[in-house]
mmCIF file of all heavy atoms in Angstrom:
data_model
loop_
_atom_site.group_PDB
_atom_site.id
_atom_site.type_symbol
_atom_site.label_atom_id
_atom_site.label_comp_id
_atom_site.label_asym_id
_atom_site.label_seq_id
_atom_site.Cartn_x
_atom_site.Cartn_y
_atom_site.Cartn_z
ATOM 1 N N GLU A 455 -150.510 -30.023 3.902
ATOM 2 C CA GLU A 455 -149.844 -31.328 3.860
ATOM 3 C C GLU A 455 -150.805 -32.331 4.509
ATOM 4 O O GLU A 455 -151.104 -32.229 5.693
ATOM 5 C CB GLU A 455 -148.528 -31.303 4.599
ATOM 6 C CG GLU A 455 -147.784 -32.626 4.595
ATOM 7 C CD GLU A 455 -146.435 -32.553 5.296
ATOM 8 O OE1 GLU A 455 -145.822 -31.456 5.308
ATOM 9 O OE2 GLU A 455 -145.988 -33.568 5.851
ATOM 10 N N GLY A 456 -151.288 -33.298 3.728
ATOM 11 C CA GLY A 456 -152.294 -34.210 4.254
ATOM 12 C C GLY A 456 -153.536 -33.423 4.610
ATOM 13 O O GLY A 456 -154.064 -32.645 3.821
ATOM 14 N N VAL A 457 -154.042 -33.634 5.839
ATOM 15 C CA VAL A 457 -155.206 -32.870 6.263
ATOM 16 C C VAL A 457 -154.807 -31.545 6.899
ATOM 17 O O VAL A 457 -155.667 -30.727 7.238
ATOM 18 C CB VAL A 457 -156.079 -33.689 7.248
ATOM 19 C CG1 VAL A 457 -156.519 -34.994 6.635
ATOM 20 C CG2 VAL A 457 -155.365 -33.918 8.575
ATOM 21 N N ALA A 458 -153.526 -31.314 7.112
ATOM 22 C CA ALA A 458 -153.056 -30.045 7.706
ATOM 23 C C ALA A 458 -153.165 -28.916 6.703
ATOM 24 O O ALA A 458 -152.774 -29.058 5.545
ATOM 25 C CB ALA A 458 -151.616 -30.198 8.182
ATOM 26 N N ASP A 459 -153.687 -27.781 7.163
ATOM 27 C CA ASP A 459 -153.748 -26.633 6.263
ATOM 28 C C ASP A 459 -152.513 -25.753 6.450
ATOM 29 O O ASP A 459 -151.559 -26.132 7.155
ATOM 30 C CB ASP A 459 -155.055 -25.847 6.440
ATOM 31 C CG ASP A 459 -155.139 -25.092 7.754
ATOM 32 O OD1 ASP A 459 -154.102 -24.908 8.426
ATOM 33 O OD2 ASP A 459 -156.258 -24.665 8.126
ATOM 34 N N GLY A 460 -152.522 -24.591 5.834
ATOM 35 C CA GLY A 460 -151.323 -23.756 5.817
ATOM 36 C C GLY A 460 -150.984 -23.052 7.101
ATOM 37 O O GLY A 460 -149.968 -22.364 7.185
ATOM 38 N N GLN A 461 -151.846 -23.178 8.136
ATOM 39 C CA GLN A 461 -151.531 -22.590 9.428
ATOM 40 C C GLN A 461 -151.355 -23.638 10.517
ATOM 41 O O GLN A 461 -151.103 -23.269 11.663
ATOM 42 C CB GLN A 461 -152.641 -21.607 9.865
ATOM 43 C CG GLN A 461 -152.727 -20.358 9.021
ATOM 44 C CD GLN A 461 -153.580 -19.257 9.624
ATOM 45 O OE1 GLN A 461 -153.621 -18.148 9.119
ATOM 46 N NE2 GLN A 461 -154.250 -19.537 10.731
ATOM 47 N N GLU A 462 -151.454 -24.903 10.182
ATOM 48 C CA GLU A 462 -151.418 -25.944 11.223
ATOM 49 C C GLU A 462 -150.049 -26.618 11.291
ATOM 50 O O GLU A 462 -149.405 -26.886 10.284
ATOM 51 C CB GLU A 462 -152.489 -26.984 10.914
ATOM 52 C CG GLU A 462 -153.904 -26.477 11.169
ATOM 53 C CD GLU A 462 -154.958 -27.526 10.889
ATOM 54 O OE1 GLU A 462 -155.003 -28.037 9.747
ATOM 55 O OE2 GLU A 462 -155.737 -27.842 11.803
ATOM 56 N N TRP A 463 -149.674 -26.917 12.513
ATOM 57 C CA TRP A 463 -148.433 -27.632 12.809
ATOM 58 C C TRP A 463 -148.692 -28.663 13.905
ATOM 59 O O TRP A 463 -149.549 -28.467 14.774
ATOM 60 C CB TRP A 463 -147.347 -26.650 13.289
ATOM 61 C CG TRP A 463 -147.019 -25.607 12.288
ATOM 62 C CD1 TRP A 463 -147.527 -24.332 12.198
ATOM 63 C CD2 TRP A 463 -146.097 -25.738 11.179
ATOM 64 N NE1 TRP A 463 -147.007 -23.673 11.123
ATOM 65 C CE2 TRP A 463 -146.125 -24.491 10.482
ATOM 66 C CE3 TRP A 463 -145.271 -26.753 10.733
ATOM 67 C CZ2 TRP A 463 -145.338 -24.255 9.341
ATOM 68 C CZ3 TRP A 463 -144.501 -26.520 9.604
ATOM 69 C CH2 TRP A 463 -144.534 -25.295 8.927
ATOM 70 N N ARG A 464 -147.919 -29.729 13.873
ATOM 71 C CA ARG A 464 -147.982 -30.716 14.949
ATOM 72 C C ARG A 464 -147.314 -30.119 16.195
ATOM 73 O O ARG A 464 -146.268 -29.487 16.117
ATOM 74 C CB ARG A 464 -147.229 -31.991 14.547
ATOM 75 C CG ARG A 464 -147.276 -33.084 15.593
ATOM 76 C CD ARG A 464 -146.161 -34.086 15.437
ATOM 77 N NE ARG A 464 -144.855 -33.557 15.782
ATOM 78 C CZ ARG A 464 -143.804 -34.272 16.182
ATOM 79 N NH1 ARG A 464 -143.897 -35.589 16.265
ATOM 80 N NH2 ARG A 464 -142.655 -33.719 16.452
ATOM 81 N N THR A 465 -147.892 -30.353 17.360
ATOM 82 C CA THR A 465 -147.259 -29.946 18.611
ATOM 83 C C THR A 465 -145.967 -30.734 18.802
ATOM 84 O O THR A 465 -145.993 -31.960 18.893
ATOM 85 C CB THR A 465 -148.173 -30.228 19.818
ATOM 86 O OG1 THR A 465 -149.454 -29.624 19.593
ATOM 87 C CG2 THR A 465 -147.574 -29.672 21.082
ATOM 88 N N PRO A 466 -144.810 -30.061 18.860
ATOM 89 C CA PRO A 466 -143.558 -30.818 19.044
ATOM 90 C C PRO A 466 -143.387 -31.214 20.506
ATOM 91 O O PRO A 466 -143.821 -30.486 21.413
ATOM 92 C CB PRO A 466 -142.488 -29.793 18.629
ATOM 93 C CG PRO A 466 -143.119 -28.471 18.926
ATOM 94 C CD PRO A 466 -144.580 -28.633 18.682
ATOM 95 N N PRO A 467 -142.798 -32.382 20.781
ATOM 96 C CA PRO A 467 -142.470 -32.712 22.177
ATOM 97 C C PRO A 467 -141.409 -31.783 22.713
ATOM 98 O O PRO A 467 -140.577 -31.273 21.961
ATOM 99 C CB PRO A 467 -141.951 -34.156 22.063
ATOM 100 C CG PRO A 467 -141.506 -34.306 20.645
ATOM 101 C CD PRO A 467 -142.373 -33.416 19.827
#
Side-chain angles (χ1 to χ4, degrees):
E455 181 178 331
V457 303
D459 71 15
Q461 291 194 173
E462 289 181 302
W463 300 95
R464 182 201 71 155
T465 307

